Amino acid sequence: MGRLAQTDGLTEIQRDILATVRDFVDKEIIPVATELEHKDEYPTAIVEGMKQLGLFGLTIPEEYGGLGESLLTYALVVEEIARGWMSVSGIVNTHFIVAHMINAHGTQEQKDYFLPRMAAGEIRGAFSMSEPGLGSDVAAISTKGVRDGDHYVLNGQKMWLTNGGTSTLVAVLCKTDEGGSTPYRNMTTFLIEKTPGFGPNPTVPGLTVPGKIEKMGYKGVDTTELVLQDVRIPADRVLGGVPGKGFYQMMDGVEVGRVNVAARGCGVARRAFELGISYAQQRSTFGKKISEHQAIQFKLAEMATKVEAAHQMMVMAARKKDSGERNDLEAGMAKYLASEYCKEVVEDSFRIHGGYGFSKEYEIERLYREAPMLLIGEGTAEIQKMIVGRRLLEEYRLAD
């Protein structure tokens, strides 16, 4: 283990958790990741291993059977997992977001019902906000929930669900027209339990997961649509029990999700650096190792600096959230920086590999296809810069 991406001030428990996860990644994920990714095969054995390690309950409070760890611990675990295979970190991420939303905003009954089984990995969560025509404009949401006695009837189409097929619980954002005068006060989050699988759901009439979306990268994990046609959901499955709060609940989930995406960028970038510096010491040109060429040393120096800078920014954002302070500025910065630097470090490692980087026999080929997803997930770079810019204007506003 090199000196890059070290984190000061960790407890002994945190260090033990990270050492265990790092060992699991090296032994159980890296050796099989490229083969599974090329087959677009769900990593069942890896997921079972993560369940045994308790990773699905990492941040869930101990009273519900979880480990009660911080966002920082979780982000550092995600960084390690993404270093092995980014798709595996995606399987944990949406589950983590839904668990966070239930713990932060759910009724006591919802916490008692969902969190113990989520901690054990028996229930696995998916997060559904986006729609086919939505993009970054959440106010344009069209999926609708209409009150009908003790139930809501949901109709619409959702898009880009990570774990859409394999999950058993989906947090779905719908328009309900019950909260207030603005679009953001007329959204509600529904907790929908379902049977895993594709096609019409056997336990939720009207709910359909059509199938996996074919993607350039980020394979293995299933990314899907979700179609709702007159789906009836009990009113007690409104997150928090009160309609009209869905937008704010989802944004809280996205905020911690941005720290997660930053951590994924850090993990992928670190792996790309490891592959690049290793290959540079094995490949020879013009009578010497390419690592001895100044041009390659410059490239390695730039890559390492970006890996370190992104990691420290991600750690700062996680610690800010853990302290209870508002962290949208830091989370936006971390997500923006880590995803952009990840793309650049991966591309530089790809260049170091030369023609072999284009071969599927080399791991960097997989990373080169995975990195672009981080530029989009949990908000594009443009959205992050807009959030950061607005917050900076709040912080540095001139007196009237």
Side-chain angles (χ1 to χ4, degrees), residues 66-310:
L67 298 179
E69 277 295 326
S70 63
L71 176 60
L72 174 62
T73 306
Y74 178 76
L76 295 174
V77 165
V78 165
E79 182 180 24
E80 293 294 341
I81 294 173
R83 173 181 158 269
W85 184 13
M86 192 181 75
S87 293
V88 177
S89 65
I91 292 170
V92 186
N93 180 41
T94 53
H95 175 87
F96 157 71
I97 290 175
V98 175
H100 169 80
M101 290 169 60
I102 292 173
N103 187 52
H105 306 287
T107 65
Q108 191 59 52
E109 185 272 336
Q110 290 168 351
K111 294 178 186 179
D112 292 340
Y113 180 78
F114 287 113
L115 292 181
R117 289 190 292 159
M118 294 186 81
E122 296 171 7
I123 290 180
R124 296 219 290 277
F127 175 84
S128 180
M129 181 169 64
S130 187
E131 296 183 2
L134 195 61
S136 300
D137 182 12
V138 182
I141 188 172
S142 62
T143 299
K144 189 145 189 173
V146 178
R147 187 75 183 241
D148 182 19
D150 293 333
H151 288 74
Y152 282 84
V153 179
L154 311 184
N155 282 281
Q157 183 179 4
K158 309 299 284 187
M159 193 71 174
W160 305 118
L161 278 77
T162 300
N163 299 324
T166 50
S167 61
T168 53
L169 173 66
V170 187
V172 182
L173 184 66
C174 299
K175 182 181 292 185
T176 49
D177 296 336
E178 289 181 305
S181 56
T182 70
Y184 301 106
R185 296 181 181 276
N186 284 302
M187 300 182 200
T188 299
T189 304
F190 293 91
L191 301 173
I192 303 178
E193 290 186 88
K194 69 178 185 66
T195 303
F198 300 98
N201 199 271
T203 55
V204 185
L207 186 146
T208 302
V209 179
K212 293 197 296 184
I213 298 170
E214 295 295 327
K215 300 163 295 187
M216 175 177 72
Y218 198 40
K219 294 177 180 288
V221 60
D222 48 296
T223 304
T224 75
E225 299 175 66
L226 183 72
V227 179
L228 305 108
Q229 295 178 312
D230 294 330
V231 174
R232 294 182 63 84
I233 298 298
D236 63 7
R237 286 298 174 259
V238 168
L239 179 60
V242 180
K245 297 183 177 181
F247 175 79
Y248 305 99
Q249 294 163 347
M250 285 273 172
M251 288 303 103
D252 183 33
V254 167
E255 194 170 281
V256 294
R258 283 180 180 141
V259 175
N260 173 283
V261 173
R264 283 197 255 179
C266 293
V268 173
R270 181 146 56 96
R271 183 59 179 166
F273 172 79
E274 291 171 355
L275 294 172
I277 199 168
S278 175
Y279 184 81
Q281 296 173 79
Q282 298 171 47
R283 174 72 167 168
S284 295
T285 63
F286 304 104
K288 59 183 179 181
K289 302 294 186 185
I290 65 172
S291 60
E292 297 176 35
H293 293 293
Q294 190 179 62
I296 298 299
Q297 292 177 9
F298 283 180
K299 199 173 290 291
L300 291 171
E302 292 170 0
M303 293 162 66
T305 302
K306 290 173 181 176
V307 168
E308 185 68 19

